[in-house]
């Protein structure tokens, strides 16, 4: 089994060196970031990057995020790093923010799906940081799951989804942020939010001023960020989103038709069973546990999952987006 456990704060340097060696040799290493587990490969090798697409069953038009150890190293893949990028890097790196910037010509087309831009971020997880520092190469890493499935927030999730198609899984336990990074496009004149995350549009605007919400412009987000296709982040079960007061009734209704009904609730008053997962009433706490809840209910063979609607507030936008995608039947 290619899975090795390590301490999330003080990872064993010998294990990190082994993983770095594999990356330099063009192999695949799954590793924890603060958001979700990534499936890493040498970003400067088209052949290594191709292995990511094969292992995930990912369509070639969906570009990857490149991870580097520090903001200074962003220019190993980005052609320019303007004052907006610098201000955002000062405020949010290392952390769950990805910047889309004009790419350097030496970045393989396989990484960017042929786009003239590249997505880059500096993760804050100590294991990711240690690995990137030891590897001394930029590391392309999408979430370490089969394409369209729910992203992994534990080593066990990675193993379940990708198994032997990975050369090594570094398992440092659950990831603290729990949903993927906020993606901001800085390749044009007007910054555009391509994917909401736990760093909100409000947080970003405080630093660089007005940002366009690409996801609001019909058809625009998928074109600018091909990964934002709707069928994504989806559990096996059918997912319905309802108001708190309707959760109980909807569960009853579904029980008439299917074997097992699960629920993810905040305040809804429903009987506690192993298939009812209670979530914290704050966006960060909720995000940290959302994917684990979806994996748990899938593993429990739920046919239907009822999710209580979350607050309509910028702080919850990342969570609301992932729930909407989980519920999407496209
Ligand atoms: O938190 C995260 O971002 C995780 C961890 C592992 O870092 N990674 C992740 O990667 O979520 P992935 O491949 O699942 O999502 C990458 C997203 C996709 O929506 C993709 O379309 C977008 O970033 N993206 C990548 N390069 C882009 C580019 N040049 N222009 C626009 N969007 C881009
Ligand atoms: Mg993904």
């Amino acid at each position: 089994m290619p899975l090795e456990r390590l301490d999330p704060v003080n990872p064993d340097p010998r294990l990190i060196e082994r993983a770095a060696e594999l990356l330099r040799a063009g192999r695949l290493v799954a590793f924890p970031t603060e958001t979700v587990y990534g499936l890493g490969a040498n970003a400067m090798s088209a052949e290594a990057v191709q292995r990511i697409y094969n292992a995930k069953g990912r369509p070639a038009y969906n570009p990857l995020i490149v991870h580097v150890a520090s903001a200074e190293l962003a220019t190993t893949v980005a052609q320019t790093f303007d004052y907006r990028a610098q201000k955002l890097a000062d405020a949010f790196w290392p952390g769950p923010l990805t910047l889309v910037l004009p790419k350097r010509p030496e970045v393989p087309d396989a990484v960017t799906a042929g786009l003239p831009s590249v997505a880059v971020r500096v993760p804050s997880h100590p294991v990711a940081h240690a690995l990137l520092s030891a590897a001394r190469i930029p590391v392309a890493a999408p979430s370490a799951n089969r394409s369209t499935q729910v992203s992994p927030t534990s080593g066990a999730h990675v193993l379940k989804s990708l198994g032997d198609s990975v050369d090594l899984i570094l398992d440092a336990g659950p990831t603290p942020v729990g949903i993927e990074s906020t993606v901001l496009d800085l390749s044009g004149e007007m910054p555009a939010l391509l994917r909401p995350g736990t760093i909100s549009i409000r947080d970003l605007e405080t630093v660089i001023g007005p940002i366009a919400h690409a996801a609001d412009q019909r058809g625009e987000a998928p074109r600018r960020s091909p990964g934002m296709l709707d069928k994504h982040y989806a559990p096996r079960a059918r997912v319905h989103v309802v108001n708190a007061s309707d959760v109980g009734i909807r569960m009853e209704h579904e029980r008439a038709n299917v074997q097992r009904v699960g629920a993810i609730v905040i305040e809804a008053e429903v009987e506690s069973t192993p298939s009812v997962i209670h979530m914290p009433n704050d966006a960060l706490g909720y995000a940290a546990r959302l994917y684990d809840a979806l994996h748990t209910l899938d593993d429990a063979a739920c046919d239907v999952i009822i999710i209580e609607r979350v607050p309509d507030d910028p702080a919850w936008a990342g969570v609301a987006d992932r729930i909407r995608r989980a519920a999407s039947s496209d």
Side-chain angles (χ1 to χ4, degrees):
M1 184 161 78
L3 185 142
E4 296 276 0
R5 290 204 165 78
L6 75 180
D7 187 284
V9 183
N10 292 303
D12 176 359
R14 280 165 310 179
L15 194 49
I16 292 293
E17 191 43 54
R18 201 174 113 206
E21 192 62 50
L22 282 168
L23 287 174
R24 284 194 297 267
R27 313 304 306 185
L28 296 182
V29 175
F31 61 98
T33 79
E34 68 279 23
T35 58
V36 300
Y37 277 70
L39 179 61
N42 180 358
M44 304 316 263
S45 158
E47 199 187 328
V49 168
Q50 189 52 48
R51 290 209 170 98
I52 294 179
Y53 286 89
N54 296 346
K56 280 184 64 87
R58 182 176 176 113
Y61 57 76
N62 191 356
L64 307 175
I65 295 174
V66 178
H67 300 66
V68 291
S70 68
E72 292 70 42
L73 292 173
T75 46
T76 55
V77 291
Q79 184 73 36
T80 54
F81 202 75
D82 64 17
Y83 71 99
R84 302 172 303 182
Q86 192 57 57
K87 282 172 96 171
L88 290 166
D90 290 346
F92 299 110
W93 280 357
L97 174 66
T98 295
L99 300 177
V100 174
L101 299 162
K103 87 173 189 84
R104 289 180 80 100
E106 42 291 33
V107 178
D109 277 343
V111 172
T112 61
L115 293 172
S117 59
V118 63
V120 58
R121 87 177 187 98
V122 178
S124 65
H125 196 294
V127 173
H129 182 74
L131 180 61
L132 293 167
S133 304
R136 299 187 304 277
I137 47 171
V139 173
S143 51
N145 53 279
R146 295 277 306 168
S147 191
T148 79
Q149 291 180 357
V150 177
S151 292
T153 56
S154 75
H157 295 163
V158 179
L159 192 63
K160 184 174 70 171
S161 188
L162 293 174
D164 288 339
S165 48
V166 190
D167 296 295
L168 176 64
I169 300 170
L170 295 177
D171 179 1
T175 57
V177 172
I179 62 171
E180 301 82 353
S181 60
T182 303
V183 180
L184 184 72
D185 186 356
L186 289 180
S187 66
E189 217 157 275
M190 181 70 176
L193 186 73
L194 299 182
R195 180 173 73 183
T198 54
I199 294 176
S200 73
I201 194 162
R202 213 167 40 190
D203 299 334
L204 298 171
E205 286 183 330
T206 309
V207 178
I208 56 163
I211 291 170
H213 197 315
D216 281 349
Q217 300 155 29
R218 232 174 145 238
E220 178 69 351
R223 194 171 58 73
R224 292 180 66 157
S225 190
M228 295 313 283
L229 298 166
D230 256 340
K231 179 73 185 168
H232 226 95
Y233 316 102
R236 244 192 348 258
R238 249 179 319 115
V239 174
H240 300 290
V241 181
V242 305
N243 292 330
S245 55
D246 296 336
V247 173
I249 268 181
R250 186 61 187 257
M251 287 181 77
E252 276 312 308
H253 172 79
E254 295 290 343
R255 276 198 193 105
N257 307 314
V258 299
Q259 281 272 315
R260 192 156 297 155
V261 179
I264 300 177
V265 301
I266 302 173
E267 285 176 332
E269 285 172 24
V270 285
E271 45 168 321
S272 272
T273 72
S275 302
V276 174
I277 299 181
H278 290 268
M279 302 291 272
N281 196 2
D282 69 282
L284 294 181
Y286 192 111
R289 290 168 58 181
L290 175 61
Y291 288 163
D292 190 60
L294 292 173
H295 279 286
T296 300
L297 295 178
D298 250 357
D299 293 347
C302 287
D303 307 287
V304 172
I305 302 173
I306 308 299
I307 303 186
E308 176 183 335
R309 197 180 304 287
V310 299
D312 181 16
D313 177 279
W316 286 83
V319 163
D321 171 78
R322 300 316 185 277
I323 291 175
R324 186 174 59 72
R325 288 167 196 286
S328 159
S329 55
D330 296 351

